[in-house]
Amino acid sequence: MDFDYVIVGGGSAGCVLAGRLSENASVKVCLLEAGGSDDSAIIRAPIGAVVMLPRAVNNWVYETVPQPGLNGRRGYQPRGKVLGGSSSINAMVYIRGHRWDYDHWASLGNAGWAYQDVLPYFKKSENNEVVADDFHGQGGPLNVAALRTDNPFQQIYVEAARELQVPINADFNGQEQDGLGIYQVTQKDGERWSAARAYLHPASSRPNLTVITGAHTTRVLLEGKRAVGVEYRQGGATKIARAGREVILSSGAFGSPQILMLSGIGDGAELKALGIPVNHDLPGVGKNLQDHIDVILAQRSNSTDLFGLSFAGIGRMIREFKRYKTESRGMFSSNFAETGGFLKSDPNEPIPDLQLHFVVAMVSDHARKPRLGHGFSTHVCVLRPKSVGSVALASPDPLAPPKIDPKFLDHPDDLERLLRGFKFLRRLHATPAFAPYRLEELFTAEAQTDDQLRDAIRGRADTVYHPVGTCKMGNDRLAVVDAKLAVHGLSGLRVVDASIMPTLIGGNTNAPTIMIGEKAADLIRAAA
Ligand SMILES: Cc1cc2nc3c(=O)[nH]c(=O)nc-3n(C[C@H](O)[C@H](O)[C@H](O)COP(=O)(O)OP(=O)(O)OC[C@H]3O[C@@H](n4cnc5c(N)ncnc54)[C@H](O)[C@@H]3O)c2cc1C
C-alpha cells in the first residue's frame, strides 16, 4: 500500500484531486472513502435527495450540540458518506459566491485567492450548457445545466419577484449576483452530476488510481513533523496507506479537523484533556466553524405541481416516474430548490447578505417530518453570519461523531438579518402571483410582532448545509493551512476541502469547493 499521494475523503474536493492528480500516469494516487460506491439510482435521479437528506442513507446524519440561540434545540447536519461526498446528496444548486468573498480572502493575506485568481479555476471545472461568456467555461468535467422540470412555479416565482420590483437575474454567477430567478444545476441530461460523476468516474480505469471505499481513516501517520501515510479501518481490520509525497485531507468541514485532532494535531490543551498525545500544537484546528443559518416560510397549497402526499399526488408521481424514464424530464429531475436568489436585507448593504431557496414542497425539519398535502417553502439564510462556532472531538474514539457547535444566532446581527429576510418572504408569498395557489401559512402564522417573529425564528432556524472554515487558510494564530493549503509547521500534509475557507462565502459551497480542488491540484503538481 505505497502511493505518492493519499487523499482522504472522496467528496467534492477529494474527487477533483483524485481525477486531476492521476492524470499524470507516473504518480500513484490512492483515494480513501469511509462511505460506499455511488452506483445508485437514488443518487443519479435528483429526486433521490429526498430519501437521503433525512436519514442515514449515504449520509453521516450528524447533529449539533444544543444551541442556546435556537432555544436549546440540536441542529441537524447531514453530510455525504459515499463517493462524491456531499455532492452526491446535495441540492445541486450551482452557485459560486460573490466576487467580494474571494477578494476578501486575498485581503486577509491569502495570495492567489482573489476573484481574478480563482475565476479561471471555476471556468476550468465547468461545462456550462446555459451560458457562454467571459464568466463561464465549456468543456470542463462539472456539467451545469438548466432544470428539466418545466415546473410552472418557476415562472410564478419570477412573476412574484417582478411584482415586488426585485430585479430578475438570469445568471447569479455572472456580472451581478443581485436579484431573484431560476437556479442552474449540476446535472446532465436530468441526472445528478456529482464530483464523483464529473472527476472520478472518467478516471476510474486508470491503473495509477486506487479507490478504496468503506475505509474510515482514523489518523495521519507522522515521522517527526512529516506526514508519511494514514491509518484506516476497513471491515474491522486496521490498515495503513503510505504516501511518498503527500497526505491530503479532503474529509470535509467536520471530517478533516476530526482526523487532524485524532492525529494529535490541534489545540494542545484540548487534546491532552482527552488523553491524546500532542504531536503538533495547532490551536486553530476545528475553530472558526461558519455556516449559513436559515429559516423557512412554508405555505400549504392546492397545486399538485408541488411535491406532496395525497391521492392526486401519488397519481402524479406515477406519471412523472414514467416521464422521467422515457424523457429524463419532469418532477423526478427536480433539485427541489428550483428558484431563489440574492437580496440585500437593507438597501445600504454593499452586496447581497441574504440568499433565498424556493422549494417546490412543504419543508419541515429537513424532510424528517413529512406532512399530508401539498405546499411550497421559501428558505432565507444569512450569507456572512457573525456567529462563529467550532468542531471538537467528543471522545478519543475515532469512530465517534465529532462535537459540532456552530453557535447559531449567537451574534444578534444574524437574527436581525433573518428577521428582515423573513418579513420579505411574507411579502413574496403574499403577492398576486402566488394568490391562486396559496393556502394557509404553516408553523409560523401566529408570529406577528417583531419579538414574536424573533422567537419563531429561534424556534425553527437551522443550517442550509454549508459548514466551512474549520481548517482555515491564513497566517494568524488560528490559521491551520497556508495559501498553498499546506498545514502550518508540518510537511507532506495538506487540507483541501470546504474547511480551508477563511470566511464563509455568499452562496452555496459545492462549486467553490470544487474550485478549491482544482486550484490545489495545480499547487500540488507545482510542488512535486
Ligand atoms: C443536504 C445538502 C444540500 C446541499 N445543497 C447544496 C447545493 O444545492 N449547492 C451547493 O453548492 N452546495 C450544497 N451543499 C454543500 C456542498 O455539497 C458541500 O459544501 C460540499 O460538497 C463540501 O465538499 P467537501 O469536499 O468539503 O466535503 P464532502 O463533499 O462532504 O466530502 C467529504 C468526504 O470525506 C469522507 N470522510 C469524512 N470523514 C472521513 C474519514 N474519517 N475517513 C474517510 N473518509 C471520510 C466523507 O464520507 C465524504 O465523502 C449541500 C450539502 C448538503 C449536505
Side-chain angles (χ1 to χ4, degrees):
M1 295 296 275
D2 281 340
F3 303 93
D4 294 301
Y5 299 106
V6 173
I7 303 160
V8 181
S12 298
C15 287
V16 178
L17 287 175
R20 288 299 185 197
L21 294 179
S22 64
E23 283 171 357
N24 177 353
S26 68
V27 298
K28 284 171 73 183
V29 178
C30 175
L31 178 67
L32 296 170
E33 166 56 42
S37 149
D38 64 330
D39 183 11
S40 155
I42 57 167
I43 293 178
R44 281 190 298 275
I47 194 175
V50 76
V51 177
M52 298 184 282
L53 172 63
R55 52 183 76 80
V57 177
N58 302 327
N59 185 345
W60 292 87
V61 290
Y62 288 139
E63 287 200 326
T64 72
V65 299
Q67 297 292 287
L70 306 185
N71 290 346
R73 290 178 297 126
R74 286 180 190 270
Y76 180 49
Q77 287 284 350
R79 294 280 96 196
K81 186 182 185 183
V82 63
L83 287 176
S86 298
S87 75
S88 286
I89 71 165
N90 74 8
M92 294 159 272
V93 175
Y94 181 73
I95 290 288
R96 298 170 175 178
H98 197 281
R99 67 167 62 218
W100 181 90
D101 294 306
Y102 303 101
D103 290 341
H104 179 58
W105 289 6
S107 77
L108 296 173
N110 298 301
W113 292 89
Y115 180 71
Q116 282 311 324
D117 303 316
V118 300
L119 180 60
Y121 289 104
F122 279 115
K123 291 168 70 171
K124 182 181 183 186
S125 69
E126 187 184 22
N127 182 48
N128 199 308
E129 295 180 3
V130 188
V131 201
D133 63 14
D134 290 348
F135 293 97
H136 290 284
Q138 273 75 35
L142 183 66
N143 209 71
V144 178
L147 276 159
R148 295 161 67 101
T149 58
D150 319 318
N151 193 316
F153 275 85
Q154 292 174 8
Q155 290 312 323
I156 293 165
Y157 177 88
V158 166
E159 187 50 35
R162 270 204 197 96
E163 285 170 357
L164 291 178
Q165 322 277 318
V166 176
I168 307 305
N169 192 334
D171 181 16
F172 300 113
N173 304 303
Q175 184 67 39
E176 290 297 332
Q177 195 191 45
D178 301 46
L180 300 180
I182 303 167
Y183 283 134
Q184 297 167 15
V185 287
T186 44
Q187 293 185 2
K188 188 172 187 181
D189 301 329
E191 293 194 356
R192 172 189 293 276
W193 211 249
S194 69
R197 205 80 194 268
Y199 288 88
L200 198 60
H201 294 195
S204 58
S205 62
R206 290 180 191 155
N208 63 330
L209 174 62
T210 305
V211 178
I212 306 176
T213 54
H216 192 124
T217 296
T218 50
R219 65 188 175 107
V220 177
L221 301 172
L222 294 169
E223 282 176 11
K225 293 285 178 186
R226 179 168 185 84
V228 295
V230 302
E231 190 180 83
Y232 65 95
R233 303 245 181 111
Q234 193 190 34
T238 299
K239 301 183 179 177
I240 281 174
R242 297 190 77 83
R245 292 192 190 171
E246 295 195 19
V247 171
I248 305 153
L249 297 183
S250 297
S251 299
F254 303 136
S256 289
Q258 183 182 26
I259 295 169
L260 286 175
M261 290 184 275
L262 289 166
S263 316
I265 304 165
D267 184 311
E270 287 178 20
L271 295 177
K272 270 190 210 141
L274 286 165
I276 296 174
V278 180
N279 288 317
H280 186 59
D281 190 10
L282 199 56
V285 175
K287 308 292 190 307
N288 191 48
L289 172 60
Q290 301 176 29
D291 196 359
H292 285 144
I293 184 68
D294 178 273
V295 70
I296 301 169
L297 177 61
Q299 202 93 37
R300 197 179 281 285
S301 172
N302 49 10
S303 171
T304 54
D305 287 323
L306 302 160
F307 287 92
L309 296 170
S310 70
F311 283 122
I314 291 167
R316 175 77 191 258
M317 279 298 122
I318 292 168
R319 292 196 300 282
E320 291 289 340
F321 175 66
K322 289 182 185 153
R323 184 172 181 214
Y324 186 68
K325 278 189 78 174
T326 52
E327 300 171 36
S328 305
R329 289 187 175 276
M331 289 173 91
F332 274 62
S333 66
S334 177
N335 72 328
F336 296 96
E338 295 191 2
T339 61
F342 297 85
L343 299 172
K344 296 172 180 170
S345 70
D346 180 298
N348 294 321
E349 290 292 331
I351 55 174
D353 61 330
L354 299 175
Q355 184 179 2
L356 270 53
H357 292 90
F358 176 82
V359 177
V360 285
M362 274 188 287
V363 181
S364 174
D365 193 17
H366 311 273
R368 293 188 294 182
K369 288 189 189 137
R371 299 174 68 88
L372 288 177
H374 296 259
F376 54 90
S377 313
T378 311
H379 291 247
V380 59
C381 72
V382 179
L383 287 175
R384 293 172 200 81
K386 294 184 178 163
S387 307
V388 177
S390 65
V391 56
L393 293 180
S395 94
D397 174 3
L399 304 185
K403 189 173 141 195
I404 301 167
D405 183 5
K407 293 214 165 18
F408 281 136
L409 299 183
D410 184 49
H411 196 291
D413 184 68
D414 298 347
L415 181 59
E416 294 313 301
R417 284 176 206 268
L418 267 190
L419 174 65
R420 294 196 288 275
F422 192 84
K423 288 179 173 174
F424 176 83
L425 302 189
R426 281 242 171 103
R427 287 170 49 220
L428 185 72
H429 286 199
T431 50
F434 278 116
Y437 316 100
R438 182 179 60 229
L439 302 177
E440 80 270 18
E441 178 178 331
L442 295 160
F443 316 123
T444 42
E446 306 283 288
Q448 292 302 326
T449 68
D450 282 3
D451 276 346
Q452 288 167 342
L453 283 168
R454 286 187 188 97
D455 195 47
I457 291 169
R458 287 196 189 279
R460 298 202 65 84
D462 201 357
T463 180
V464 76
Y465 320 122
H466 302 146
V468 307
T470 49
C471 297
K472 80 164 179 173
M473 169 170 69
N475 316 307
D476 59 304
R477 202 182 69 84
L478 291 183
V480 175
V481 296
D482 63 19
K484 296 195 163 138
L485 309 187
V487 174
H488 284 295
L490 295 175
S491 62
L493 184 60
R494 287 186 217 244
V495 182
V496 179
D497 57 27
S499 71
I500 67 94
M501 296 189 191
T503 54
L504 183 51
I505 54 109
N508 314 64
T509 43
N510 184 44
T513 307
I514 287 172
M515 174 279 287
I516 289 167
E518 285 277 14
K519 186 166 164 66
D522 271 3
L523 292 168
I524 292 166
R525 284 189 283 223

